[in-house]
Amino acid sequence: MEHHVEWFQFTLPADQTIGPEALRLIWMRACGSTNISVQRNSRTILGRRTPVYSLRASSRLAGLPLIEARLRGLMQEARLNSKLTLVSR
């Protein structure tokens, strides 16, 4: 499998969560590829432990503006109130 790089990360409010399979489906639909991975880590943000979700794919992923728009739409459909960030390179 090709090495994946992090393209997006996001957080959710304390009253929301998403499992890895559901997140994988959203990310696959957004970027149009099955060559993806997702991660969930915990970080301290503003003095509170917060889950941070990472969306990873090939370093050759193209069409980021369209992928980001799809991702935002799919997360909205799933009623996830996310704070999505594009990871800059």
Side-chain angles (χ1 to χ4, degrees), residues 64-88:
L64 283 179
L66 181 57
I67 291 170
E68 182 176 0
R70 277 193 218 126
L71 182 57
R72 288 183 187 280
L74 290 165
M75 292 180 95
Q76 188 173 22
E77 277 180 28
R79 299 181 193 266
L80 295 171
N81 190 16
S82 67
K83 302 239 189 252
L84 182 68
T85 304
L86 174 65
V87 177
S88 59

Side-chain angles (χ1 to χ4, degrees), residues 6 8 13 16-17 20 25 30 39-40 43 53 58 69 71 74:
E6 184 177 37
F8 296 94
Q16 289 190 322
T17 189
L25 288 173
Q39 284 185 316
R40 178 183 164 191
R43 296 188 193 144
Y53 301 86
S58 166
L71 182 57
L74 290 165

Side-chain angles (χ1 to χ4, degrees), residues 2-43:
E2 182 179 349
H3 175 72
H4 290 162
V5 297
E6 184 177 37
W7 287 104
F8 296 94
Q9 45 177 244
F10 68 93
T11 60
L12 293 171
D15 63 339
Q16 289 190 322
T17 189
I18 186 169
E21 290 307 311
L23 183 55
R24 281 183 55 77
L25 288 173
I26 287 172
W27 182 220
M28 282 190 291
R29 286 181 61 199
C31 66
S33 174
T34 58
N35 184 19
I36 57 102
S37 58
V38 299
Q39 284 185 316
R40 178 183 164 191
N41 295 303
S42 190
R43 296 188 193 144

